[in-house]
């Protein structure tokens, strides 16, 4: 069993919640991988440098100046801060971007309706799973940031949910994989304003009904579409949960 955790921006921006999450993550006995995004700190830093952040459909438009800044933040300060705190919790972690060990090769997103700039797309052959398995077998815990490369010297900004999903899919060949998306809600909610409206279990049939009834909408739909995509490609289970709850059963479990 390998457990892959993706931690979202709302947690990275909250010092106490991040500390709590990393303490819980360190106690998980299974082999594990952590993937993190950039949080709101990227926007704050860009604005401080008089670079206007541009987001379209939740994806960052990344020109060269923006790429330089987010690389420094994601692959530098944030990644190393997380790794240092995991070491503090006696977990031997190693921080990586896609270029390290040639572990994730992306392709620059084609210009279509939107030119996203230096943004990387991944496919099922992007991840060097043998290297990841080697690191895990050395009792190292990989911590991936949201920066990849194209194999020709170009770094690319790549969505952290996508990175976590493609790592999960790639590792299914030789392993049983759980994929956990951790953010600032306890799971999928019928009412986004009511924490007591948790939907504890969703399969493909239930998901279709939730869509038809407009019970879920907006930002949760891409997360669930992504979840069922990885389930259809061999990942055993997907969980959507609060970063505070990774050691208990309060979460949404998704299965086919």
């Amino acid at each position: 069993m390998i457990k892959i955790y993706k931690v979202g921006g709302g947690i990275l921006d909250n010092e106490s919640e991040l500390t709590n999450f990393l303490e819980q993550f360190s106690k998980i006995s299974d082999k594990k991988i952590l993937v993190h995004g950039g949080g709101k700190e990227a926007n704050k830093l860009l604005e401080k440098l008089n670079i206007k952040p541009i987001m379209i459909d939740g994806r960052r438009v990344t020109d060269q100046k923006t790429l330089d800044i987010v690389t420094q933040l994601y692959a530098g300060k944030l990644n190393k801060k997380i790794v240092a705190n995991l070491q503090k919790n006696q977990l031997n972690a190693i921080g990586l971007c896609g270029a390290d060990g040639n572990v994730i090769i992306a392709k620059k997103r084609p210009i279509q309706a939107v030119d996203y700039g230096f943004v990387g797309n991944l496919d099922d052959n992007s991840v060097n799973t043998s290297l990841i398995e080697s690191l895990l077998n050395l009792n190292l815990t990989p911590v991936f940031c949201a920066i990849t490369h194209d194999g020709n010297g170009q770094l690319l900004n790549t969505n952290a949910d996508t990175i976590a999903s493609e790592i999960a899919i790639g590792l299914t060949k030789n392993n049983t994989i759980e994929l956990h998306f951790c953010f600032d809600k306890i799971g999928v909610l019928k009412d986004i304003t009511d924490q007591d409206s948790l939907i504890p279990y969703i399969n493909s049939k239930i998901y279709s009904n939730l869509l038809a009834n407009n019970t879920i909408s907006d930002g949760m739909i891409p997360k669930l579409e992504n979840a069922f995509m990885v389930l259809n490609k061999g990942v055993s289970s997907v969980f959507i949960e609060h970063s505070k709850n990774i050691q208990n059963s309060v979460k949404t479990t998704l299965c086919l």
Side-chain angles (χ1 to χ4, degrees):
M1 168 73 74
I2 299 174
K3 296 182 178 181
I4 300 171
Y5 287 79
K6 186 269 176 174
V7 61
I11 309 307
L12 296 172
D13 296 321
N14 186 309
E15 193 75 28
S16 62
E17 289 199 4
L18 179 60
T19 298
N20 175 68
F21 169 80
L22 294 176
E23 288 175 353
Q24 290 188 68
F25 179 80
S26 299
K27 295 175 183 176
I28 296 167
S29 58
D30 299 276
K31 292 178 179 179
K32 52 193 176 288
I33 295 166
L34 181 58
V35 180
H36 67 86
K40 296 177 182 177
E41 190 170 350
N43 286 347
K44 293 177 183 176
L45 184 55
L46 287 166
E47 289 169 352
K48 188 180 293 186
L49 296 170
N50 295 316
I51 301 171
K52 183 180 179 181
I54 301 174
M55 306 290 290
I56 298 176
D57 296 330
R59 300 288 188 262
R60 185 181 300 281
V61 176
T62 308
D63 62 11
Q64 185 61 58
K65 288 184 179 180
T66 300
L67 179 66
D68 291 345
I69 297 304
V70 298
T71 299
Q72 292 174 48
L73 179 62
Y74 300 171
K77 179 184 176 181
L78 276 175
N79 189 263
K80 301 315 167 191
K81 176 182 177 182
I82 290 170
V83 170
N85 277 279
L86 292 175
Q87 300 291 3
K88 181 184 75 172
N89 289 302
Q90 289 76 53
L91 180 66
N92 198 8
I94 181 168
L96 300 166
C97 77
D100 297 310
N102 204 30
V103 68
I104 305 175
I105 298 180
K107 295 178 181 177
K108 187 174 181 290
R109 183 170 298 172
I111 299 173
Q112 296 177 333
V114 176
D115 180 1
Y116 281 95
F118 294 104
V119 168
N121 286 347
L122 304 182
D123 57 37
D124 292 353
N125 298 311
S126 292
V127 179
N128 184 343
T129 54
S130 61
L131 175 60
I132 296 174
E133 289 171 338
S134 296
L135 293 172
L136 292 168
N137 289 334
L138 290 170
N139 293 319
L140 288 167
T141 295
V143 179
F144 288 93
C145 70
I147 299 294
T148 60
H149 77 136
D150 68 355
N152 294 302
Q154 179 63 59
L155 294 172
L156 295 165
N157 181 23
T158 302
N159 181 265
D161 282 359
T162 303
I163 290 174
S165 297
E166 291 301 334
I167 291 173
I169 292 166
L171 289 170
T172 57
K173 183 177 179 181
N174 300 318
N175 310 276
T176 301
I177 303 297
E178 286 185 3
L179 179 56
H180 297 248
F181 291 104
C182 304
F183 69 142
D184 54 3
K185 303 291 182 185
I186 62 172
V188 181
L189 304 174
K190 292 180 181 178
D191 179 353
I192 194 69
T193 64
D194 182 4
Q195 291 285 321
D196 293 327
S197 65
L198 175 71
I199 305 172
Y201 174 81
I202 301 175
N203 59 23
S204 53
K205 182 177 180 180
I206 293 172
Y207 178 51
S208 296
N209 290 335
L210 291 171
L211 283 176
N213 296 332
N214 294 318
T215 304
I216 53 173
S217 60
D218 301 328
M220 187 53 67
I221 292 176
K223 285 185 181 294
L224 293 177
E225 291 286 351
N226 187 65
F228 282 105
M229 182 273 291
V230 302
L231 288 169
N232 278 297
K233 291 188 175 184
V235 173
S236 64
S237 300
V238 178
F239 302 92
I240 298 176
E241 60 203 314
H242 200 295
S243 64
K244 295 177 180 178
N245 297 329
I246 65 174
Q247 295 279 27
N248 66 37
S249 60
V250 181
K251 60 190 69 177
T252 298
T253 301
L254 294 97
C255 295
L256 292 176

